[in-house]
Amino acid sequence: MKQKADAGDADAAFDLYDCFHEGLGAEKSDTQALHWLQLAAEQGKPEAMFDLALEYQEGGLVEKNEDLFMYWLRKAAEADERDAQYLLAACYEHGNGVPQDLNLAREWYDRAAEGKDSGTEEDPERAQGK
């Protein structure tokens, strides 16, 4: 899997993130988890973009950073990651990290409701940003 990830396979990089983040088949390592998560996000994996956004929001693997949270959240939403679209809509609705804009909130809620998803399994905790 590491060979695939090193060769540019975003899915493999995201899988390695999970392995190191959760300690599945590998010793748990925040440094390695962050490396593979960033790589998968930079390679365009929507789920990785969303998870990286949440890391910047929560301050788990990285220091909290509102600007990077919004950057990765927007990229994930634009890549049709439904949970990211919903969270971005909520940000616009309440003016969290962006100026309040109910029209943009409605647009993002509508996109999320259309069901264009990047292929992730439904996970209620991810949708709530946990």
Side-chain angles (χ1 to χ4, degrees):
M1 188 175 352
K2 184 178 180 309
Q3 190 174 17
K4 282 181 160 183
D6 284 335
D9 185 322
D11 291 329
F14 191 63
D15 288 344
L16 282 170
Y17 153 69
D18 275 338
C19 290
F20 285 108
H21 190 250
E22 301 298 328
L24 303 171
E27 188 173 329
K28 189 172 179 170
S29 168
D30 289 348
T31 302
Q32 285 294 312
L34 179 60
H35 167 76
W36 294 113
L37 179 60
Q38 286 176 320
L39 187 62
E42 290 165 2
Q43 291 173 337
K45 179 121 178 108
E47 299 93 333
M49 294 175 196
F50 182 59
D51 283 2
L52 187 55
L54 295 179
E55 291 294 339
Y56 280 113
Q57 180 187 39
E58 299 295 324
L61 296 177
V62 295
E63 195 170 310
K64 286 184 181 185
N65 184 314
E66 186 72 21
D67 291 336
L68 288 172
F69 161 66
M70 290 306 301
Y71 172 81
W72 285 109
L73 180 63
R74 184 175 309 281
K75 284 193 69 84
E78 289 170 352
D80 294 326
E81 213 299 327
R82 230 172 47 203
D83 293 337
Q85 291 171 339
Y86 182 82
L87 184 54
L88 183 59
C91 288
Y92 278 114
E93 179 182 6
H94 302 288
N96 296 332
V98 293
Q100 186 177 33
D101 186 325
L102 298 180
N103 290 325
L104 281 175
R106 184 176 298 113
E107 286 178 32
W108 283 109
Y109 280 131
D110 288 347
R111 281 184 70 175
E114 286 174 9
K116 274 183 84 178
D117 197 7
S118 56
T120 61
E121 293 179 24
E122 289 298 317
D123 183 348
E125 288 190 20
R126 280 187 84 220
Q128 295 173 8
K130 294 182 180 179

